Amino acid sequence: MAGCLDNFEWPRCEWMRLGERRNTIASIVAGTMFFSGWWVVIDAAANYPNDKDLPKAAHVCGVVGTIALVMVNSISNGHVRGDGYNTGCLGQTGARIWLFIGFLLLFGSLIAAAWILFGIYVVPGKPHPWPGVQLFMQNALIFFGALIFKFGRTEELWE
């Protein structure tokens, strides 16, 4: 049973060959996700202006996620691998620490948004949990946009 799909080959799609457009498409998708995340939370802030409906402190998750997006994508993969990067404060080790802290902040903002969603909106049974859902959507879109922008591009096209 384990080898039943060994001889199966997916057909090659000519339209899926991105080639030199890979960086452009990844950047557009990541930027659209980032923009959509902030658009959703701005809509939540406009529809629920009271502090009891949407606490102002809940916006910190999105700000931390945005800072983490910048931190994660400010380090190239060449810096992490150590390809020709020997200068700077800590060199390759500093780049890896910076990337690790960026990913910690990115995951932390997503987890904090889930905590806000369930802790403030779902468990107490508020009549309209949509601000919490919108905060979580914002952070999820920023999270996946950061991952697409980091890993969806290739550095070989820069040379």
Side-chain angles (χ1 to χ4, degrees):
M1 186 69 175
C4 65
L5 294 177
D6 286 345
N7 294 328
F8 182 75
E9 186 174 322
W10 288 98
R12 304 274 185 227
C13 297
E14 292 298 321
W15 61 271
M16 277 294 285
R17 298 183 189 250
L18 299 177
E20 294 181 2
R21 297 179 302 185
R22 177 178 171 174
N23 289 354
T24 305
I25 292 171
S27 299
I28 290 171
V29 169
T32 303
M33 291 178 81
F34 178 77
F35 162 76
S36 299
W38 275 103
W39 184 273
V40 165
V41 85
I42 289 171
D43 178 58
N47 285 330
Y48 302 101
N50 296 335
D51 201 35
K52 66 181 181 101
D53 292 333
L54 178 62
K56 303 299 183 243
H59 294 291
V60 172
C61 296
V63 172
V64 170
T66 302
I67 292 169
L69 179 137
V70 172
M71 285 178 69
V72 165
N73 289 296
S74 65
I75 301 293
S76 71
N77 293 334
H79 290 150
V80 174
R81 285 190 307 263
D83 297 340
Y85 182 68
N86 297 325
T87 60
C89 183
L90 295 173
Q92 179 185 9
T93 306
R96 288 180 178 176
I97 290 171
W98 184 262
L99 185 67
F100 181 69
I101 292 172
F103 276 122
L104 282 179
L105 290 175
L106 202 59
F107 284 118
S109 68
L110 187 64
I111 291 168
W115 184 308
I116 290 171
L117 169 63
F118 289 104
I120 296 178
Y121 295 100
V122 174
V123 173
K126 286 201 173 182
H128 43 80
W130 290 112
V133 172
Q134 289 173 312
L135 279 169
F136 182 76
M137 282 179 50
Q138 175 206 19
N139 285 282
L141 286 168
I142 291 173
F143 177 79
F144 289 117
L147 291 182
I148 288 172
F149 196 66
K150 177 68 178 170
F151 299 112
R153 298 176 301 142
T154 180
E155 294 177 3
E156 285 124 17
L157 297 175
W158 296 351
E159 297 170 359

